[in-house]
Amino acid sequence: MTRFTAVDIIHQKRAGQPLSAAQIDWIVHAFTTGEVADEQMAALAMAIYFQGMEIAEIAQWTSAMIASGDTMDFSTLENPTVDKHSTGGVGDNITLMLAPLVAVFDVAVPQLSGRGLGHTGGTLDKLEAIPGWRATLTTAEMLTQLGQIGAVICAAGAGLAPADKKLYALRDITGTVDAVALIASSIMSKKIAEGTGALVLDVKVGAGAFMKTPERARELAETMCELGRQANLPTTALLTDMSQPLGSAAGNALEVATAVEILAGGGPADTRQLTIELAQEMLRLAGKTDVDVAAALDDGRAMDKWRAMIAAQGGDADAPLPKARHRHTITAPTSGYISQLDALAVGEAAWRLGAGRAKPGDAIQAEAGVQIHAKVGDYLRAGSALFTLHTQTPERFESAIARLHEAVNITDTAPPPAVLIHERIRR
């Protein structure tokens, strides 16, 4: 491999000039092995944040991160594979229902998931609220479960794109998380290395998302779809709303309970709709177009897959979920229509109650979170319940209540109908 110097590469990108494939391969490899210092990669990440990258650079950066570790292979499975990735939001428990739902139709879903940080929840944290459930599987266990049940949600192995894991930790403490080039390559390096046959992206847009505007969300989605195309991974994206929380809860055990409601044919209307829309898109990429997705939620087939998936990973789907010892209800101060329900405020309140982490490795409360009793467009009378707060440590209530008082706007006139899906992007 040709050798370069990190300082020259930093200078080049700082000046807005594209990096060559050889430069990218070298610096990603050298950073992974420790030859390039964290301070130097932080400087380069900041240069990329301000100067951006051309699509050829992003594709090469993605390839270099894939090459830093292992890849997986699902070609031995009888059924096609398709995965979904969400860019993260508040109350977003879609993966819990989506994996078993899609598996009903003889499509395997290898869902490698992560943990929450800050105001966004992590799928593994949610599932660990179920007694006995384990996140870590061997590759052999994963393949067996996919072959027998068709769905698995588990932790990604440390060998998949280790350069990304190291770089993400650095981005998180240097203010460069929301650079489109770095987000796109981070997500797609892991998904391509995972070896799935197709990918659907749920790109969140709004107050509770990394991408606050439709323009930024579209740029990210189009970049990731193009990276998928170049890697021969069929990839589509839905731009979905995160101006208000999804569903009726933010918090680990609370979101599992909501997932079970959806799998039983009920649950919040927006969560059910998005689950069905994403499932249909995943099945379309897998060649399954003449299927009734909603029926599989309503007739118990998706629930059967859920129970089998949970049991296969040691969980007891019949065990009671943990419940908080302390609760507090916030009520509407006046009568009127909810015209705004800030997703970020709700997510941060759940975090303050103990549902999330300030840094990787922090302990969380499975029981903690916020129940949401009304959404944008709903009419409430003064004194009606807006939120119920759950925590094991009641001294946390004060700061969470203060954050939620900023979350809701009540007006005399009804707002325009909320839009759940803003756009579909297919390459």
Side-chain angles (χ1 to χ4, degrees):
M1 180 180 291
T2 305
R3 288 184 58 82
F4 298 90
T5 69
V7 173
D8 287 345
I9 290 175
I10 294 165
H11 283 164
Q12 186 171 322
K13 179 48 66 178
R14 192 182 67 184
Q17 299 170 2
L19 303 179
S20 70
Q23 286 175 311
I24 290 171
D25 287 345
W26 178 82
I27 200 161
V28 171
H29 174 77
F31 173 63
T32 307
T33 60
E35 183 179 349
V36 167
D38 285 357
E39 295 87 348
Q40 293 173 309
M41 184 56 87
L44 180 58
M46 189 63 74
I48 292 169
Y49 179 89
F50 283 112
Q51 295 291 359
M53 279 182 154
E54 297 174 358
I55 189 63
E57 291 177 276
I58 304 173
Q60 191 64 40
W61 192 276
T62 303
S63 296
M65 291 202 293
I66 294 168
S68 73
D70 303 327
T71 57
M72 299 184 71
D73 182 5
F74 297 119
S75 62
T76 58
L77 294 176
E78 187 174 320
N79 292 329
T81 56
V82 62
D83 193 4
K84 185 271 302 183
H85 179 84
S86 168
T87 56
V90 179
D92 182 7
N93 62 348
I94 295 290
T95 295
L96 306 188
M97 300 83 69
L98 196 60
L101 175 59
V102 171
V104 166
F105 300 98
D106 297 324
V107 173
V109 185
Q111 186 73 55
L112 302 185
S113 298
R115 300 191 179 277
L117 188 64
H119 76 279
T120 59
T123 299
L124 302 182
D125 299 321
K126 303 179 207 298
L127 285 167
E128 283 180 340
I130 300 172
W133 186 87
R134 62 188 178 99
T136 303
L137 300 179
T138 66
T139 300
E141 288 174 324
M142 188 178 180
L143 287 168
T144 297
Q145 186 170 326
L146 285 170
Q148 295 178 349
I149 298 168
V152 63
I153 303 172
C154 65
L160 284 181
D164 174 65
K165 183 177 182 180
K166 189 175 181 183
L167 178 57
Y168 187 89
L170 196 60
R171 290 164 53 212
D172 189 51
I173 61 173
T174 57
T176 54
V177 167
D178 57 342
V180 166
L182 298 178
I183 296 175
S185 56
S186 173
I187 291 170
M188 295 305 291
S189 64
K190 293 192 290 284
K191 290 303 176 183
I192 296 167
E194 176 192 304
T196 187
L199 176 64
V200 174
L201 299 163
D202 180 2
V203 179
K204 303 296 186 185
V205 56
F210 281 125
M211 301 292 105
K212 307 298 183 186
T213 66
E215 293 76 20
R216 289 276 288 166
R218 187 180 307 111
E219 180 187 359
L220 175 60
E222 289 178 343
T223 301
M224 291 192 290
C225 287
E226 177 60 19
L227 292 175
R229 187 192 68 79
Q230 292 194 24
N232 296 315
L233 173 64
T235 304
T236 65
L238 272 63
L239 271 56
T240 68
D241 188 67
M242 191 44 65
S243 59
Q244 68 172 331
L246 186 65
S248 60
N252 299 300
L254 295 173
E255 291 185 46
V256 174
T258 301
V260 173
E261 291 177 11
I262 296 286
L263 290 162
D270 57 348
T271 307
R272 176 183 166 92
Q273 179 189 346
L274 187 53
T275 301
I276 290 171
E277 294 278 0
L278 288 168
Q280 288 173 332
E281 191 66 19
M282 291 170 73
L283 291 165
R284 184 187 70 83
L285 289 181
K288 309 268 185 172
T289 55
D290 189 21
V291 292
D292 189 342
V293 175
L297 283 175
D298 296 332
D299 63 19
R301 283 178 289 163
M303 179 68 84
D304 289 344
K305 287 286 186 184
W306 160 263
R307 295 174 65 84
M309 182 181 74
I310 296 302
Q313 291 174 241
D316 183 354
D318 295 318
L321 293 166
K323 293 186 178 180
R325 290 190 295 269
H326 304 280
R327 301 183 186 187
H328 176 84
T329 298
I330 297 176
T331 59
T334 60
S335 297
Y337 295 92
I338 296 181
S339 60
Q340 177 183 334
L341 179 57
D342 187 87
L344 180 60
V346 174
E348 289 182 350
W351 172 75
R352 294 180 184 189
L353 291 166
R357 298 179 178 85
K359 61 182 184 299
D362 283 355
I364 60 169
Q365 296 181 22
E367 307 89 346
V370 178
Q371 275 184 290
I372 304 158
H373 298 296
K375 301 290 284 287
V376 170
D378 291 347
Y379 182 85
L380 290 181
R381 296 195 178 278
S384 299
L386 274 173
F387 306 108
T388 299
L389 283 58
H390 299 243
T391 187
Q392 298 291 77
T393 44
E395 61 269 22
R396 294 174 178 264
F397 279 137
E398 184 177 356
S399 65
I401 291 167
R403 189 68 179 97
L404 286 172
H405 277 314
E406 307 166 9
V408 179
N409 190 31
I410 297 176
T411 57
D412 293 333
T413 56
V419 176
L420 181 60
I421 299 174
H422 294 275
E423 194 172 340
R424 298 170 191 269
I425 295 173
R426 293 170 176 167
R427 281 287 176 103

